[in-house]
Amino acid sequence: MATPIVPADLLEVVFMASPETAPPTAGSIKRVVAASLVGTTIEWYDHSSDQSYHLRLFGAQGD
């Protein structure tokens, strides 16, 4: 699809800046930290259980 040719005098400059927002509250920061802790714990448990499954399935790969 070809880009239409628009004369320069019809071009409009639009700034895409977002409006300022309020700083995060202490409650929202605590919520983010709690969610991060829960997610990290689940990932750690998932990775360690997956690793032990592969060790049992294929045996320890040593020299």
Side-chain angles (χ1 to χ4, degrees):
M1 179 177 196
T3 304
I5 298 173
V6 179
D9 58 339
L10 296 179
L11 293 179
E12 180 180 349
V13 177
V14 179
F15 296 102
M16 300 295 288
S18 61
E20 291 187 30
T21 58
T25 62
S28 67
I29 292 175
K30 288 179 184 178
R31 186 174 177 185
V32 168
V33 170
S36 176
L37 179 65
V38 169
T40 302
T41 303
I42 291 170
E43 285 292 325
W44 177 82
Y45 179 77
D46 181 44
H47 178 72
S48 63
S49 65
D50 186 42
Q51 199 171 31
S52 67
Y53 171 74
H54 286 293
L55 284 175
R56 286 185 298 213
L57 185 63
F58 300 111
Q61 302 291 323
D63 287 325

